[in-house]
Amino acid sequence: MYLYVYKFLPQTQVEGPGERACIYVQGCSIGCEGCITPKSWQEKINHKVKVKDIAETILQGPEIEGVTFSGGEPFEQAKTLAKLGNILQKESLSIVTFTGHVLENIVKSSNDDWHELLSVTDLLIDGPYMKDKLDLTRPWVGSSNQKYHFLTKRYQHIQSDINEIPNKIEIRLKDDGEIVINGIVRQKNIEDLLDGI
């Protein structure tokens, strides 16, 4: 079973609670206007990895408390991510899943793979990014319509204080000189930052 991956971060502090790995999957048919990762929309390009291989990479990597599934659109590879999520949860890692779908539609869906991915998710952050509802006052989201769903007890302790968690970004300089930025920030702020470098 293969997972199509747009980008993988073995360790990050800005893609959910605590120290996490983050998998940005390849493929998204939603295509939100203003999306920060439009290159992830195309299906089945970049590289594909076996579930057992990426699980091994995560488990042998830096010490983390969980893994975030982002995208692209994770529910377009729900079956594969559910399998990966099962492996990781057996090792006590948490799962945060981002989606452009809304929880109510996922629950009502007859797609068993969607239900399977939902069942391994501790924290679901749902809703499409809406450019006209830009809101960076809450962590990990970009527009006011997006919601947090605490599906297990794992992160319920942050529920009442979630608005106190600041948005942050991370900047990485790759060996080839490419600058990689992840996290939530206004596009204008990134442009200003890069102009200053």
Side-chain angles (χ1 to χ4, degrees):
M1 185 174 276
Y2 287 94
L3 182 66
Y4 289 87
V5 176
Y6 169 66
K7 184 169 64 171
F8 171 69
L9 295 176
Q11 189 172 31
T12 175
Q13 296 179 5
V14 302
E15 302 292 350
E19 299 272 351
R20 319 186 63 74
C22 185
I23 300 169
Y24 304 84
V25 297
Q26 187 71 48
C28 178
S29 60
I30 298 173
C32 302
E33 184 183 352
C35 172
I36 58 171
T37 55
K39 290 180 181 176
S40 69
W41 293 357
Q42 284 182 282
E43 288 185 21
K44 300 180 180 174
I45 61 168
N46 284 22
H47 67 285
K48 64 180 185 177
V49 294
K50 290 182 179 177
V51 168
K52 67 179 183 67
D53 291 342
I54 197 160
E56 190 173 295
T57 297
I58 290 166
L59 295 172
Q60 292 179 357
E63 188 174 329
I64 53 172
E65 70 175 71
V67 179
T68 295
F69 299 154
S70 191
E73 173 51 57
F75 279 84
E76 292 183 18
Q77 295 190 61
K79 184 173 187 172
T80 310
L81 288 174
K83 182 173 182 178
L84 177 59
N86 271 309
I87 294 168
L88 299 173
Q89 282 190 329
K90 286 177 184 169
E91 299 296 327
S92 300
L93 295 178
S94 66
I95 303 295
V96 172
T97 304
F98 284 86
T99 181
H101 298 287
V102 294
L103 178 60
E104 295 78 10
N105 292 344
I106 296 168
V107 170
K108 289 178 188 173
S109 169
S110 60
N111 187 325
D112 290 338
D113 296 338
W114 283 19
H115 294 253
E116 203 53 39
L117 177 53
L118 202 60
S119 75
V120 300
T121 298
D122 296 291
L123 172 58
L124 182 79
I125 301 174
D126 76 343
Y129 170 70
M130 294 184 175
K131 191 176 175 181
D132 60 331
K133 294 186 176 183
L134 179 70
D135 177 13
L136 306 181
T137 62
R138 300 173 300 147
W140 318 311
V141 299
S143 58
S144 60
N145 61 296
Q146 296 173 311
K147 296 179 183 171
Y148 307 96
H149 300 278
F150 297 86
L151 303 179
T152 68
K153 293 180 180 178
R154 183 80 182 239
Y155 289 116
Q156 285 183 349
H157 66 279
I158 67 170
Q159 189 169 3
S160 60
D161 299 324
I162 195 124
N163 291 335
E164 304 304 314
I165 300 170
N167 266 323
K168 298 182 278 188
I169 62 168
E170 293 171 333
I171 301 170
R172 292 177 172 80
L173 182 61
K174 294 173 70 174
D175 291 340
D176 63 2
E178 180 185 4
I179 297 171
V180 180
I181 300 172
N182 67 298
I184 298 293
V185 67
R186 291 178 192 271
Q187 186 68 33
K188 175 80 172 99
N189 294 113
I190 292 176
E191 291 165 6
D192 290 346
L193 177 67
L194 294 178
D195 284 344
I197 292 179

